[in-house]
Amino acid sequence: KSGARLYTRETSRVTFADVAGLEEAKQELLEVVEFLRNPKKFARIGGKVPRGILLVGPPGTGKTLMARAVAGEAGVPFFSIAASQFIEMFVGVGASRVRDLFNTAKKQAPSIIFIDELDAVGRSRGTGLGGGNDEREQTLNQLLAELDGFEPHEEVIVMSATNRPDVLDAALLRPGRFDRQVVVERPDWRAREEILKVHTRKVPLAEDVDLRTIAKGTPGMCGADLESLINEAALIAARQDRESVSMIHLEQAKDRILMGAERKLVLSE
Ligand code: ATP
C-alpha cells in the first residue's frame, strides 16, 4: 500500500557509553541531549539549538548508533528511516511519507527523526541519470519544506547520516536545515580497542586475551567490522566447546573478516 509507514519508532536504550571513541562528536551532541531533556529550560537560558544535524563518516563507523545514543540519553522517541525507503515508483508517495513522518514526530515531541543515507534523496537536483527524477526531487522538496516549517515550540531534532556529503544538494546545508555537521571518523587503534571493549562486555574472555594487540592488528576496520570479529570469535569458541574466547579465536576471526573484505574487493573489481 502506497501510504504504508516505513519508518520505525523505538525507545532507544543506547547511551553514549555504548558508543566507543568519537569523544568529540559526543561532546558536540551533548548540547542536543540537554535541549531534548528540557527544552523549556533550554529556551529560557537563551540556548540556540540546531534543528538539523548531519552525521558524516564512512559506513559502519557508528552514525546510526550515535543518533540512537542521543535519543537514549535524552529519553525521547526515535523515529528512523533510510532515505531510500521514502522513494517509490509512484510520484508523490515519497513526499507524503516525509510529511507523515514529520507529523508523527511532532505529535510526540520532544523527539528525534533520523534519516539514514540522506544522499539517496539528497543528491543535487537536476543531476540524476536520464535527467531529473521527479519523484526524488519532490521528496527532497518536501523534506526541505518540513525542515523550514518547524514552529519554535515543535521540539524535534532531525539527524541524518551520509558518507557522501559532497553529492548533497546545497539547499540541504543552508542555515536552519542541516547546518551542523558532526564528523564520525574511522577509528584509530585506540578507538578500536575501546570498541572491542564495548563489544566484549558480555563475552567471557580467557586470560590470554589482549584486546590492544587485536586493535593494533586491525587497521582500516570500522566498528561494524569489529563487532563481527567478536561475534565470529565467540562462534569459533562455541564450536570448540570452549567456555571462553581466547586469543587464538580472535586471531582466527580477524583473518576471516580480512579474507571476507578481500573477497568483496576482488568481486567489485
Ligand atoms: P552505515 O553508514 O552503514 O549506516 P553507520 O555509521 O550508521 O553505518 P552503525 O550502523 O551505527 O554504523 O554501526 C553498525 C554497528 O557497528 C553498530 O550497531 C555497533 O554495534 C557497531 N559500531 C560501529 N561503530 C561503533 C562504535 N564507535 N562503538 C561501538 N560500536 C560501534
Side-chain angles (χ1 to χ4, degrees), residues 18-22 57-66 68 114 116-117 161 163 184 195 198-199 222-225 227:
D18 300 308
V19 187
L22 303 174
T61 47
K63 298 182 292 298
T64 307
L65 186 70
M66 185 67 100
R68 280 209 172 88
F114 176 67
D116 203 0
E117 309 163 19
N163 48 19
V184 176
I195 295 171
V198 164
H199 288 281
C222 63
D225 298 328
E227 184 187 16

Side-chain angles (χ1 to χ4, degrees), residues 1 24 28 30 40-41 78 95-96 119 125 129 131 160:
K1 188 164 139 268
E24 242 173 84
E28 287 178 60
L30 210 51
K40 303 286 178 287
K41 179 175 147 209
F78 182 75
S96 78
D119 43 284
R125 287 166 287 188
L129 293 171
S160 65

